[in-house]
Amino acid sequence: MTAVTGTNGNEGADMWDRRQIMVLVFAGAALQLSASAAMSAPGSGEAAKKDRPSQVEVIDGSEVKRVTLTEKAAQRLDIRTGEVGNEGTGRLITPYSSVVYDTAGGTWVYTVPKPLTYVRHSVVVEAIKGEKAYLKQGPPAGTKVVTVGVAELYGTEKGVGH
């Protein structure tokens, strides 16, 4: 019987290389199994979603989504709000800080339909004067809008950084 030798003439070298390869193969398989087990673990499904700082939900029939933050997340983002006003002429006014521009140049504000819940609403800006944006179209006067944390809400809704 002829022995298989390694490149340096040492029979043990080939055996050691094979053992190392087998260990690596088994280690890789174990990692894959543990990763898939972790993905199906109780803390990774619906329960984990409830523990997240934000929830993003599709609004039926709409291109925008509802963003809901935990109280702690809203505090961390320092979410602040203002209100859409109505100039004496009936023209809508919102704090300019409430306006966010999307990548296509569209203009939006985040309304606050209920505490810790934010929904992007399309606006048409007529003019910007100082810290006020005058709107041709937008949510009605009296609507609560986000003035600080707008970009962070937009990133959350769009999944930026996730």
Side-chain angles (χ1 to χ4, degrees), residues 91-107:
R91 189 163 62 164
L92 297 172
I93 303 169
T94 191
Y96 181 52
S97 62
S98 69
V99 177
V100 64
Y101 297 85
D102 66 20
T103 57
T107 47

Side-chain angles (χ1 to χ4, degrees), residues 77-92:
L77 294 177
D78 195 27
I79 298 290
R80 301 219 181 153
T81 61
E83 210 172 81
V84 174
N86 193 336
E87 191 179 61
T89 62
R91 189 163 62 164
L92 297 172

Side-chain angles (χ1 to χ4, degrees), residues 29-101:
L31 283 173
Q32 285 183 334
L33 286 173
S34 65
S36 63
M39 292 185 78
S40 63
S44 63
E46 290 301 315
K49 287 182 182 180
K50 291 179 183 175
D51 292 338
R52 291 183 181 171
S54 65
Q55 295 280 333
V56 180
E57 303 168 274
V58 173
I59 298 173
D60 290 336
S62 176
E63 68 178 80
V64 299
K65 298 175 183 172
R66 179 181 306 107
V67 178
T68 305
L69 299 179
T70 63
E71 192 169 328
K72 189 173 183 178
Q75 288 172 353
R76 270 191 250 130
L77 294 177
D78 195 27
I79 298 290
R80 301 219 181 153
T81 61
E83 210 172 81
V84 174
N86 193 336
E87 191 179 61
T89 62
R91 189 163 62 164
L92 297 172
I93 303 169
T94 191
Y96 181 52
S97 62
S98 69
V99 177
V100 64
Y101 297 85

